């Protein structure tokens, strides 16, 4: 879909006017499906209409509406997922199986009952790609460098940080748009922020692609820095020859 930031003239963009050829030509949108959203995400107005658009888009594009929800590990992540459920937007959560099999069993069942689709193991590439190609939505948090073999050092808040390169590969193989999505608790209320889908992604350059992913995560963290899971020790893998930021002095 195409995002055009604007102060919208509601008369000009009335539903009956949206197919005027001269208007589409002026906006460079000839031959494209256009949705106009006059408002903001997660605010006090038009929030339901946003999810109506997601449902309409899924109904219209069917299996071509592939979305990878790019996010990070925040203290509010469960509430952010709940927001999607309330909007009737089924999604797959990507997860790492817990070491305790009993807790993992119940956690898996609970999350699947809530999200409407089964959780997918992070290392099962075939299932992840198949789900995206089938037009499903996947919750994806690439901010943990669990597999150092598939990660590179790129800046994260100005610090060279080992970062997974899998986001670009997954988006390319799954033919999916990558939509940054960040939940936060602001002034006593929960808010979910959606940013426009990444353009020209992937760029076939893993440094460029992975740096962009970190920039998006930085933008989401800046919404509420204290609500990010800093306890996950994001900087524990540091370049050879550099000091360990977590070492006790």
């Amino acid at each position: 879909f195409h995002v055009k930031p604007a102060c919208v003239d509601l008369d000009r963009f009335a539903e009956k006017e949206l197919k005027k050829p001269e208007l589409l030509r002026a906006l460079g949108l000839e031959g494209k499906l256009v949705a106009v959203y006059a408002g903001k995400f997660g605010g006090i107005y038009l929030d339901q209409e946003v999810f109506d658009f997601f449902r309409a888009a899924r109904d219209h594009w069917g299996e071509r509406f592939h979305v990878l929800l790019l996010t990070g590990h925040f203290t509010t992540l469960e509430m952010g997922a709940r927001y999607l459920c309330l909007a009737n937007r089924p999604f797959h959560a990507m997860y790492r199986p817990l070491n305790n099999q009993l807790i993992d069993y119940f956690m898996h069942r609970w999350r699947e009952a809530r999200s409407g689709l089964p959780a997918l193991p992070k290392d099962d590439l075939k299932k992840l790609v198949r789900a995206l190609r089938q037009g499903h939505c996947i919750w994806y948090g690439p901010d943990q460098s669990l597999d150092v073999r598939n990660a590179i050092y790129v800046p994260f808040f100005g610090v060279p940080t080992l970062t997974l390169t899998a986001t670009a590969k997954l988006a390319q193989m799954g033919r999916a748009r990558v939509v940054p999505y960040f939940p936060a608790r602001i002034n006593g209320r929960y808010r979910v922020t959606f940013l426009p889908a990444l353009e020209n992604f992937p760029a076939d350059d893993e440094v460029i692609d992975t740096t962009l992913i970190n920039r998006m995560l930085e933008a989401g963290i800046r919404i509420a820095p204290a609500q990010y899971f800093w306890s996950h020790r994001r900087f524990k893998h540091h370049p050879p020859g550099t000091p360990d930021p977590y070492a006790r002095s």
Side-chain angles (χ1 to χ4, degrees):
F1 55 94
H2 301 268
V3 177
K4 291 287 182 180
C7 294
V8 176
D9 181 335
L10 293 180
D11 292 328
R12 188 184 187 199
F13 284 90
E15 184 176 358
K16 60 183 177 60
E17 303 291 332
L18 284 179
K19 293 185 178 180
K20 279 191 173 180
E22 60 271 22
L23 176 59
L24 295 179
R25 278 197 300 271
L27 295 174
L29 296 172
E30 279 188 293
K32 297 180 173 67
L33 184 65
V34 181
V36 175
Y37 169 60
K40 61 182 180 179
F41 287 101
I44 60 174
Y45 58 96
L46 292 184
D47 55 346
Q48 185 58 44
E49 286 80 352
V50 171
F51 288 104
D52 287 342
F53 162 66
F54 271 91
R55 283 192 288 268
R58 178 65 178 83
D59 291 341
H60 178 85
W61 278 301
E63 294 186 358
R64 292 180 294 149
F65 189 60
H66 311 169
V67 175
L68 189 65
L69 284 173
L70 173 69
T71 189
H73 289 77
F74 297 86
T75 59
T76 52
L77 67 85
E78 297 291 349
M79 293 303 297
R82 182 61 177 164
Y83 193 58
L84 291 175
C85 300
L86 292 173
N88 194 29
R89 181 62 172 126
F91 67 96
H92 295 281
M94 198 173 75
Y95 81 111
R96 179 180 67 84
L98 300 175
N99 294 331
N100 187 308
Q101 293 183 355
L102 179 62
I103 296 177
D104 184 72
Y105 171 78
F106 284 106
M107 181 70 74
H108 190 89
R109 287 189 61 188
W110 175 73
R111 283 184 166 167
E112 182 175 340
R114 178 196 62 186
S115 65
L117 291 171
L120 299 176
K122 68 172 186 62
D123 53 359
D124 196 330
L125 183 61
K126 288 184 178 180
K127 285 186 178 180
L128 293 168
V129 171
R130 186 183 304 120
L132 287 172
R133 289 192 177 184
Q134 290 174 344
H136 295 177
C137 178
I138 293 181
W139 181 102
Y140 182 60
D143 57 333
Q144 294 185 4
S145 50
L146 299 173
D147 187 352
V148 298
R149 299 167 299 175
N150 297 305
I152 60 174
Y153 287 102
V154 294
F156 182 64
F157 287 107
V159 178
T161 304
L162 199 63
T163 306
L164 293 174
T165 59
T167 308
K169 298 173 184 176
L170 188 57
Q172 183 177 43
M173 296 176 68
R175 303 165 189 162
R177 301 299 302 275
V178 177
V179 177
Y181 144 87
F182 303 110
R185 183 174 171 83
I186 307 295
N187 296 325
R189 299 185 64 182
Y190 288 99
R191 185 180 77 189
V192 178
T193 300
F194 289 84
L195 300 180
L198 302 186
E199 295 291 342
N200 303 315
F201 184 88
D204 295 326
D205 183 314
E206 65 178 13
V207 174
I208 293 175
D209 290 335
T210 310
T211 299
L212 177 59
I213 294 302
N214 273 357
R215 283 175 51 203
M216 294 297 100
L217 288 171
E218 289 172 9
I221 292 169
R222 284 191 175 98
I223 296 172
Q227 295 173 26
Y228 184 63
F229 272 138
W230 298 107
S231 58
H232 280 179
R233 291 160 49 98
R234 186 72 176 87
F235 305 104
K236 64 183 176 182
H237 297 293
H238 50 92
T242 61
D244 180 357
Y246 298 105
R248 294 184 178 181
S249 57

